[in-house]
Amino acid sequence: MTSPTARPLPASLVTAHAERARSFNSAAAVYAAARPTYPPVLFDAVEELSRRPLAGARVVDVGAGTGISTALLRSRGARVLAVEPGEGMAAEFRRALPATPLVRGDGNHLPLASATVDLVTYAQSWHWTDPAHAHPEAMRVLHPGGALALWWNTDAQDVPWIAEQADRVRRHFGDDRANKSGGGTRTLDADKLFAGAPFPPEPDRIARRVLRWSRRVPLDTHLANVASHSLFIVHGEESTRAFLDRERARLREVFPDGLVEEVYDVLLLVVTPR
Ligand SMILES: C[S@@+](CC[C@H](N)C(=O)[O-])C[C@H]1O[C@@H](n2cnc3c(N)ncnc32)[C@H](O)[C@@H]1O
């Protein structure tokens, strides 16, 4: 149960979601090497919308994974504690950021005292939580005047090769709704993000931004990035290899120099509770 009013999901969907949430652990090294980072404008926007500088802020980065977001928050001067449930991801994190504190835990039960942090961040990880628990937990650990920031790198669907690849993913999985992102299409819709939360954020306390950026990476890195998504990890190696082989041939036609221009829209939502 998520709340007295939320309808429970069918057991098969709950199991599939949990399996995808855990799946990253088996692909942590590929994840660390191939996943995109986040652009500096994202952190400028987090500062602006949370109305406080990152330098010196006490931040808890939840679902920290291999440390991509944690490292960037640290480079802006934040004092970051990482929280990560997965063993494989935590091991990769410790290899990359041995001096940064990490505790095993998840967003539904934060292993932190109340009113102890200035900012709670979820980079690409809020969708794995149950907002009925994760939202009150975030509110509990924040100091008065603190903020909750959620963000996702999403593929820019108005770029023709990216839209075509998304079609190929749907065809490969034989499912109209299949996409690389766990838990469905990314959204900044608060009703969906905070579904089941007992006291969801008030609309006038929510700010949003969409920030476009891009990176050019070797074709192999792009394909490893695709393969590091939970949809592919849980689907099995053989099927993923077949998809990637076909993808390699198609993308060579689009990017004859072997460098793929990945274009992202970062979706950012910041809650500043009263
Ligand atoms: C897509 S990765 C994002 C990692 C990192 N924040 C980044 O930006 O690269 C999602 C992470 O969420 C973690 N996760 C899964 N279930 C979670 C939960 N209930 N609460 C917090 N994190 C969770 C996974 O273990 C994984 O490390």
Side-chain angles (χ1 to χ4, degrees):
M1 279 295 280
T2 51
S3 83
T5 51
R7 271 189 301 135
L9 288 169
S12 58
L13 278 185
V14 173
T15 309
H17 189 75
E19 189 192 350
R20 282 181 70 169
R22 282 193 303 269
S23 68
F24 298 103
N25 293 297
S26 62
V30 175
Y31 189 106
R35 278 294 183 105
T37 176
Y38 303 102
V41 287
L42 168 66
F43 298 96
D44 296 341
V46 168
E47 289 184 325
E48 182 192 331
L49 301 181
S50 67
R51 301 183 210 126
R52 62 156 307 136
L54 284 167
R58 283 181 190 276
V59 178
V60 56
D61 188 27
V62 190
T66 61
I68 296 174
S69 45
T70 307
L72 293 165
L73 288 161
R74 278 186 52 115
S75 74
R76 300 285 291 229
R79 290 178 287 166
V80 191
L81 170 71
V83 173
E84 167 56 41
E87 192 178 333
M89 294 299 255
E92 196 61 42
F93 181 105
R94 291 191 171 112
R95 249 191 299 282
L97 300 172
T100 303
L102 175 142
V103 288
R104 299 286 300 284
D106 72 54
N108 300 327
H109 314 275
L110 287 175
L112 291 165
S114 300
T116 47
V117 301
D118 302 309
L119 182 65
V120 177
T121 57
Y122 278 86
Q124 219 93 353
S125 53
W126 178 260
H127 54 287
W128 297 121
T129 70
D130 176 354
H133 299 290
H135 183 255
E137 275 295 85
M139 296 302 110
R140 178 182 67 76
V141 302
L142 282 174
H143 274 141
L148 165 67
L150 320 177
W151 66 81
W152 291 266
N153 264 325
T154 64
D155 294 333
Q157 293 298 329
D158 59 332
V159 175
W161 79 264
I162 292 178
E164 286 158 22
Q165 183 180 69
D167 278 343
R168 294 193 290 271
V169 169
R170 284 188 284 273
R171 280 202 301 278
H172 180 72
F173 288 95
D175 179 349
D176 281 356
R177 290 155 310 162
N179 63 59
K180 288 189 294 163
S181 318
T185 310
R186 292 283 152 264
T187 176
L188 286 177
D189 178 347
D191 288 344
K192 294 198 173 108
L193 288 173
F194 301 106
F199 301 100
E202 293 161 48
D204 66 338
R205 310 309 295 179
I206 299 176
R208 298 171 175 83
R209 283 284 158 80
V210 178
L211 305 155
R212 179 155 290 197
W213 71 288
S214 64
R215 67 171 190 168
R216 276 160 74 78
V217 291
L219 180 52
D220 280 342
T221 304
H222 170 70
L223 295 174
N225 174 10
V226 171
S228 76
H229 284 78
S230 59
L231 180 68
F232 286 93
I233 302 170
V234 299
H235 208 243
E237 243 174 74
E238 209 173 304
S239 147
T240 297
R241 198 170 314 119
F243 179 84
L244 295 182
D245 286 347
R246 291 197 297 274
E247 214 46 29
R248 182 187 302 281
R250 285 191 179 111
L251 292 179
R252 272 214 187 105
E253 290 167 18
V254 184
F255 300 103
D257 64 356
L259 287 176
V260 175
E261 170 129 32
E262 296 178 342
V263 185
Y264 293 101
D265 286 323
V266 184
L267 308 188
L268 167 68
L269 181 143
V270 176
V271 178
T272 48
R274 249 177 254 287

